[in-house]
Amino acid sequence: MSLFLQSPWLLPLLALAGLPLLVHLLSRTRPPAYRFSNIEFLQKVVRRTARFRKPKDWLLLILRTLAIAALAAAFLGPLLLSKSAPLPGEQRTVILLVDRSASMAARDGAASRFESAIVAAREALDSLRPDASNIVWIDAEPSSIFPEPATNRGFLTESLLQSGTRHEAGAVARAWELALRQCMIGRGRKELVVISDFQASAWKSVQAEVPPDVNVRSISVTREEAPNLAITSLIATPAEPVAGQECTLLCRVRNFSGEARRPVLSLDAGGSHQSQPVDLPAWGDAETAFTVRCPGAGLLALTAALDGDAFPSDDRRYLALRVRESLRLAVAAPATAPESKVARSLADALPWLDAIDCPDAANPPPCDFLLVPAWNGDASEQLRKLALRGTTILVLPGAGCSAKSLADLTGSTADAADGLLTLDARPEGWQASPVEGSPVFKLFASGEFGNPLAGVTRRRLRLPESVVSKGVLLGRFNDGKPALVSFPTTAAPVLLCNLPLDPAAGDWTTRSCFLPAFAELVLHSRPKSGADDFSLEPGALPSWSPSDPSQATTLALTGPSGKPLALEQGSGPTGPLWRSPLPAAPGIHTWLVSGQPVHYSIVNFPESESDLRALPEVPSFLPGGAVQPRESLARAAALDHGLPLWPWLVGLALIALLVEPLLANSSAPKSS
Amino acid sequence: MTTAYKFLTPDDIRRLRNYEFGAKSMVEGYLSGRHRSKQRGASIEFHEFRQYVPGDDLSQVDWRVFARNDKLFLRTFEQETNLECHLFLDASASMAFPEKSERLSKLEYASFFAACLAWLVTSKNDRVSLTLFDQGIRKHLPPGSTRRHLHDVMTTLETTTAGAPTDLPEVLHRAHPLLKRRGTLVILSDLFADPARLFTALNPYLHRGFRIHLFHVLDPAELDLENRGLSRFVDMENDSHLTVHPQALREAWKQEMLAHSRTLRALAAGRRVDYALAPTNESYFSLFDRFRH
């Protein structure tokens, strides 16, 4: 409601309202003295009547003030204009910002939050009756129904009825911006109605700025707290196991409720089922490990599931693993080199390891492990990039390699005094042993399998301390010099080995411990997380580009329910790309070629949407809440349609003036 | 007739000739006079027969009774004696009310009445005493009936001004030994005192047979608070003050004063004490009617 004054220049008249109070105060400060015969009796009477007289005095004062204030206000000619009343010739644009993120699927009683939101949105459209309106959806990719506010409210209502929640987190900030842009496009009075569950995790960080001419109204559809359990992550270690290898699956479960819970968590790994209970504290989480043996090479789909609860969307989590038949060890050395021979011997002994030739260390073929013996310091940056892309680099520097190249490769800094690496030789050699507590050689910690680095090293390099000190020491010689150092990166590590693979320089490779020690080194040096090319963001379109174009003829995609999905062809960076036109729902989407799965598109429920708690209070977006219409237009509207208040004020003053003498003359109750 | 007294005018004397001051009960006196006394003596009013006991005056023996039944009886008569009137005049500060007014103050009104009463008493050869008091006895003139005594009474009244706070019960207690003979006790006061305490102090007088007249002298403005707007009421006796709006208290005040007067009247009636409310806007001559037999 807005209040307008016809005669605002008379505002000082309102100061008259203070007159009774002023008179009261002034008269009390210095009343005339009157010498009286006996005050004691008077005090007794005052005490007895004070209980009735004091409230009466205050009431009289209020009545007198009210009467004068009402009379003074009547002269100002106040006019009351409803805020929602349209100004003459003014249009109204209403934008509904409706949340349909995953959390809106939660049920508060009989209806879901989204169903409540639809009802609220329809009511807003019906009650506000805008000249132009539009709906902006809070999705992962916010969108509006019309490109700009339009007059077709019926279509908006229909769109509301046909819409549903998305299995994705809403991009609130971007949706807000889009809604404001829509408001700016609109004309006349602009109103933005926000209908959401105001999920705390989504809204607490939103800095909603409201232009001064936009009036924002918030409607919350959250009625009660919804306790919820959710699987928030499912991680496999190693990310790409080798056939026959055991894979550990870590499953994290969170409890979004104030009560401790003990649900049963189950895992389906390619048809084999495991389950175990999980103890969840109130508002806490727990992690459970499953061990899965990967029987053969190929794709392995895993599904972790919880007992059903009131919000089942996040009770499942999916993962796909690519089980490798073998790991590839590239050797950047001539086939006749002793190191190549050792590598091939290893590949022959280990069924899961293939040795391949690599003529150019800087451009190796696809491999998991690159062995660079007698490295002279070339292409240090390229090698480091390989490590950052996930290929473990095992470098055996040769004499003449510069300390700077070594520092570049390992990501450390060499001292200026460190020049070229020099050889250190001794006929009786040096003994090497692993550093205690090193996880790489944990298998050997008991001593049952002996010393993994046992042997005599007769020739080694003098490694610069400035470089070595930046790495993690895995093994050392008996004189304390480093034998094996690891330099972790964000993906795969760079291993610096001072133990010669050439039998002429040391007999480590001829010892029985060499094979298991090298195998452990290879397995533990693999990247913890592989390149996940299965995961898809919720709401994204499942797509895949077959490596063999001929596969496209029999290509099909099935959704999580097993039903085939429509496909459309596009073009990707590596060739033809096939995609589904519909956003992906949580679950496993299977790409089939001739009926056989060749790829998975995994969509998981967004973790942020599982916490269904709403903001403590529905946000009020200011200053839009106090929207000020254009003064002249509003004044004109008030003069035409405003409700004149002066008769009410005069009436109020008259009532006050009538009651005042009645109250003033009323006597205190008679004494007994 | 001319007088030089402020509180006794020739008109008053002329009117007083029509009044008589008498005791409604028996009085004690040492002169044979107009008033009956409980002391037996010589007069014409027969009282009773009483059997002779040795020592009685033989002249009072009724010989006719002796002749008839051979027994000695004395014929006794009521003795007439003079009357003593004890005037107690309140001269406390509150009696000066109203100040700076055309109306008589309560003290002036009471003084006029006391002067007239003193003249009336002495004019019949009865004796009058005067006690001026506030919180104590300020002045006491013993009973007398001479012109000189009346002059002293008049002079005392004229020179009296309102003084300290009132304590009538205490004054009555202290004055009790001063009154040797019983008589009529006339108290003129505004009686702003605790009624129960006041009548407790009067009890010794009642036991001695005093006839008590209690005149409650009040100004009309005390009976009905004047409507004078918001005022700071200052106590004339102790300077304490209170800011009130009299109009707001008027009804309650009237009720309070009425209740006070009613209490005094009820207590007086129970003890055969004469109580009269004496507003200063009414003639004090009406009060003389209360002294008739």
Side-chain angles (χ1 to χ4, degrees):
Chain A
M1 303 293 268
S2 303
L3 190 68
F4 296 90
L5 302 177
Q6 287 176 288
S7 312
W9 57 88
L10 293 177
L11 264 175
L13 271 182
L14 280 180
L16 288 175
L19 202 59
L21 182 64
L22 199 64
V23 169
H24 175 77
L25 292 175
L26 287 178
S27 63
R28 282 199 79 83
T29 50
R30 200 64 195 164
Y34 177 51
R35 287 176 63 77
F36 195 63
S37 53
N38 192 289
I39 293 297
E40 194 181 339
F41 266 53
L42 204 56
Q43 280 172 334
K44 200 192 297 181
V45 173
V46 168
R47 272 197 298 274
R48 213 180 57 234
T49 57
R51 190 156 57 93
F52 304 95
R53 193 170 47 79
K54 279 189 177 175
K56 195 177 86 174
D57 287 350
W58 281 109
L59 204 55
L60 279 173
L61 189 64
I62 290 169
L63 277 175
R64 288 165 187 163
T65 306
L66 188 66
I68 293 182
L71 275 178
F75 280 102
L76 301 178
L79 293 166
L80 197 64
L81 181 66
S82 169
K83 200 174 178 182
S84 57
L87 302 181
E90 189 187 40
Q91 290 192 334
R92 167 183 272 180
T93 300
V94 173
I95 305 298
L96 301 178
L97 181 59
V98 184
D99 192 350
R100 60 173 181 182
S101 61
S103 64
M104 292 290 283
R107 288 194 169 270
D108 291 333
S112 71
R113 292 178 178 181
F114 187 71
E115 286 165 354
S116 303
I118 295 301
V119 172
R122 291 182 63 189
E123 285 176 357
L125 280 178
D126 291 343
S127 61
L128 297 175
R129 308 187 69 78
D131 298 292
S133 54
N134 202 351
I135 293 175
V136 174
W137 299 112
I138 301 180
D139 292 336
E141 287 296 330
S143 59
S144 61
I145 290 180
F146 297 136
E148 61 182 41
T151 56
N152 193 345
R153 287 206 309 273
F155 185 77
L156 291 181
T157 307
E158 207 170 306
S159 301
L160 282 170
L161 293 174
Q162 290 174 357
S163 181
T165 53
R166 298 285 189 91
H167 299 285
E168 57 197 48
V172 177
R174 282 192 289 150
W176 182 270
E177 285 175 12
L178 177 60
L180 287 187
R181 278 204 300 277
Q182 291 287 322
C183 282
M184 292 298 111
I185 295 170
R187 284 177 295 179
R189 185 185 292 268
K190 297 159 187 170
E191 293 183 38
L192 175 60
V193 181
V194 186
I195 305 171
S196 170
D197 58 355
F198 292 103
Q199 191 187 13
S201 58
W203 283 88
K204 67 183 175 189
S205 58
V206 174
Q207 300 290 327
E209 291 183 4
V210 182
D213 58 342
V214 176
N215 183 23
V216 181
R217 192 148 59 96
S218 308
I219 300 175
S220 174
V221 292
T222 306
R223 290 186 179 80
E224 56 191 34
E225 288 293 329
N228 185 30
L229 297 179
I231 304 175
T232 54
S233 72
L234 182 62
I235 299 169
T237 306
E240 289 188 352
V242 183
Q245 189 181 7
E246 278 192 346
C247 180
T248 303
L249 289 154
L250 294 174
C251 188
R252 181 169 291 276
V253 184
R254 285 201 69 177
N255 179 11
F256 295 101
S257 74
E259 291 180 10
R261 305 282 292 273
R262 196 166 192 268
V264 174
L265 180 65
S266 60
L267 181 75
D268 179 0
S272 80
H273 293 273
Q274 300 179 49
S275 64
Q276 52 182 295
V278 190
D279 288 312
L280 292 169
W283 300 113
D285 60 0
E287 200 170 61
T288 303
F290 293 96
T291 304
V292 174
R293 180 169 292 280
C294 304
L299 296 174
L300 179 62
L302 300 127
T303 303
L306 274 176
D307 296 341
D309 62 2
F311 188 57
S313 306
D314 55 2
D315 291 345
R316 288 173 173 266
R317 201 153 188 97
Y318 310 95
L319 183 68
L321 293 179
R322 189 186 302 280
V323 181
R324 301 275 298 276
E325 189 173 357
S326 61
L327 297 179
R328 291 160 68 89
L329 171 64
V331 184
T336 54
E339 290 86 353
S340 294
K341 290 178 181 172
V342 169
R344 291 192 185 283
S345 303
L346 282 170
D348 291 342
L350 299 172
W352 46 268
L353 190 68
D354 290 337
I356 54 174
D357 291 331
C358 175
D360 182 7
N363 297 300
C367 61
D368 302 290
F369 214 78
L370 176 61
L371 175 64
V372 189
W375 183 53
N376 59 5
D378 289 346
S380 57
E381 288 185 4
Q382 285 89 333
L383 289 174
R384 183 160 182 81
K385 283 177 184 171
L386 280 173
L388 293 171
R389 285 203 295 266
T391 302
T392 304
I393 310 292
L394 178 61
V395 169
L396 287 85
C401 173
S402 69
K404 184 178 182 308
S405 299
L406 197 60
D408 290 344
L409 173 63
T410 57
S412 55
T413 309
D415 285 346
D418 299 327
L420 301 177
L421 305 186
T422 54
L423 272 176
D424 190 8
R426 193 163 77 167
E428 66 274 21
W430 297 272
Q431 296 285 336
S433 59
V435 173
E436 281 184 18
S438 167
V440 177
F441 300 115
K442 193 169 61 179
L443 183 67
F444 300 87
S446 65
E448 187 181 348
F449 301 106
N451 179 6
L453 305 180
V456 177
T457 300
R458 284 182 288 279
R459 204 166 59 219
R460 66 181 187 187
L461 282 171
R462 295 187 180 89
L463 296 175
E465 185 62 27
S466 58
V467 174
V468 173
S469 62
K470 299 292 189 296
V472 179
L473 197 62
L474 302 180
R476 65 161 72 91
F477 291 108
N478 51 4
D479 62 349
K481 298 294 182 187
L484 188 61
V485 188
S486 172
F487 295 90
T489 68
T490 53
V494 174
L495 297 171
L496 182 59
C497 183
N498 208 5
L499 293 166
L501 298 183
D502 183 1
D507 61 357
W508 178 43
T509 54
T510 61
R511 298 294 182 100
S512 60
C513 64
F514 174 67
L515 184 63
F518 198 86
E520 284 294 298
L521 185 63
V522 168
L523 289 175
H524 280 91
S525 304
R526 293 184 63 201
K528 295 298 179 197
S529 56
D532 184 4
D533 51 355
F534 300 113
S535 290
L536 206 61
E537 285 297 315
L541 304 178
S543 62
W544 184 55
S545 180
S547 55
D548 182 0
S550 63
Q551 292 176 324
T553 54
T554 57
L555 185 64
L557 175 65
T558 58
S561 61
K563 291 181 181 174
L565 300 175
L567 284 176
E568 58 185 25
Q569 188 180 7
S571 61
T574 57
L577 184 77
W578 295 86
R579 69 158 65 94
S580 164
L582 296 174
I588 299 175
H589 297 69
T590 310
W591 295 87
L592 302 166
V593 172
S594 302
Q596 295 300 315
V598 292
H599 188 71
Y600 290 124
S601 291
I602 302 292
V603 179
N604 278 310
F605 188 86
E607 183 185 343
S608 62
E609 293 292 303
S610 293
D611 188 355
L612 299 175
R613 283 175 290 180
L615 290 174
E617 289 179 3
V618 178
S620 54
F621 300 99
L622 296 174
V627 63
Q628 297 294 324
R630 278 169 294 161
E631 187 62 24
S632 57
L633 207 56
R635 177 171 293 283
L639 289 172
D640 289 344
H641 308 293
L643 174 70
L645 295 181
W646 70 264
W648 300 91
L649 292 169
V650 170
L652 183 65
L654 285 176
I655 290 172
L657 290 174
L658 279 173
V659 172
E660 192 265 350
L662 292 176
L663 187 66
N665 292 330
S666 67
S667 57
K670 291 183 178 177
S671 65
S672 58
Chain B
M1 181 181 289
T2 58
T3 65
Y5 304 125
K6 177 184 174 184
F7 295 120
L8 186 65
T9 63
D11 284 344
D12 289 340
I13 294 171
R14 198 172 297 118
R15 291 184 66 179
L16 285 169
R17 291 187 192 283
N18 301 321
Y19 288 91
E20 187 179 355
F21 181 78
K24 286 182 181 174
S25 59
M26 295 297 179
V27 297
E28 293 176 3
Y30 65 94
L31 287 178
S32 295
R34 299 175 305 109
H35 313 292
R36 290 183 299 173
S37 167
K38 283 190 176 177
Q39 290 180 343
R40 303 284 79 77
S43 72
I44 57 171
E45 292 288 332
F46 172 75
H47 182 245
E48 64 179 354
F49 286 105
R50 176 168 66 78
Q51 197 159 12
Y52 173 81
V53 291
D56 281 344
D57 187 1
L58 287 175
S59 64
Q60 292 184 0
V61 173
D62 192 332
W63 297 109
R64 291 181 184 176
V65 173
F66 177 73
R68 278 199 292 271
N69 51 24
D70 203 20
K71 287 183 181 174
L72 287 172
F73 278 91
L74 262 62
R75 186 183 181 89
T76 62
F77 297 86
E78 287 184 351
Q79 187 182 35
E80 287 189 347
T81 184
N82 59 344
L83 175 145
E84 277 192 4
C85 176
H86 306 287
L87 288 172
F88 274 62
L89 178 60
D90 185 353
S92 64
S94 64
M95 290 294 283
F97 183 83
E99 288 181 331
K100 299 171 188 173
S101 170
E102 291 180 355
R103 298 196 303 269
L104 289 178
S105 71
K106 292 188 286 182
L107 182 61
E108 288 172 326
Y109 181 88
S111 297
F112 270 113
F113 177 65
C116 290
L117 186 58
W119 185 89
L120 185 64
V121 171
T122 54
S123 68
K124 307 296 183 190
N125 288 326
D126 291 325
R127 292 160 26 111
V128 66
S129 74
L130 176 66
T131 305
L132 295 173
F133 67 91
D134 41 33
Q135 58 191 355
I137 297 170
R138 283 171 61 182
K139 183 152 188 172
H140 175 70
L141 293 178
S145 59
T146 62
R147 280 182 171 275
R148 176 70 187 169
H149 180 74
L150 181 65
H151 175 75
D152 289 345
V153 170
M154 297 299 167
T155 308
T156 303
L157 288 174
E158 285 172 17
T159 55
T160 298
T161 54
T166 325
D167 192 353
L168 178 55
E170 177 64 22
V171 169
L172 289 171
H173 177 69
R174 291 186 183 179
H176 188 250
L178 299 177
L179 309 185
K180 303 297 182 192
R181 292 174 57 199
R182 69 183 174 205
T184 301
L185 189 65
V186 178
I187 299 172
L188 297 162
S189 172
D190 49 14
L191 297 179
F192 283 121
D194 177 22
R197 191 163 161 251
L198 171 62
F199 279 89
T200 304
L202 284 174
N203 280 342
Y205 294 91
L206 291 168
H207 291 153
R208 279 179 59 185
F210 276 83
R211 174 68 189 170
I212 299 174
H213 293 274
L214 204 55
F215 292 107
H216 193 178
V217 182
L218 287 175
D219 187 82
E222 291 175 317
L223 288 167
D224 182 6
L225 281 182
E226 283 179 319
N227 186 13
R228 49 184 301 114
L230 186 73
S231 304
R232 194 158 59 98
F233 282 69
V234 181
D235 196 309
M236 296 172 75
E237 295 193 346
N238 56 21
D239 284 340
S240 63
H241 58 83
L242 182 68
T243 301
V244 290
H245 203 299
Q247 193 182 358
L249 299 175
R250 199 170 181 182
E251 281 304 313
W253 172 266
K254 280 165 75 173
Q255 296 295 332
E256 183 68 27
M257 291 306 291
L258 196 63
H260 182 57
S261 173
R262 199 180 292 134
T263 306
L264 288 169
R265 193 185 301 279
L267 288 170
R271 288 166 174 78
R272 299 177 69 82
V273 172
D274 178 47
Y275 166 84
L277 184 64
T280 59
N281 59 345
E282 292 180 7
S283 170
Y284 46 80
F285 277 95
S286 61
L287 302 177
F288 284 104
D289 293 336
R290 309 190 76 86
F291 298 111
R292 293 179 189 278
H293 285 290

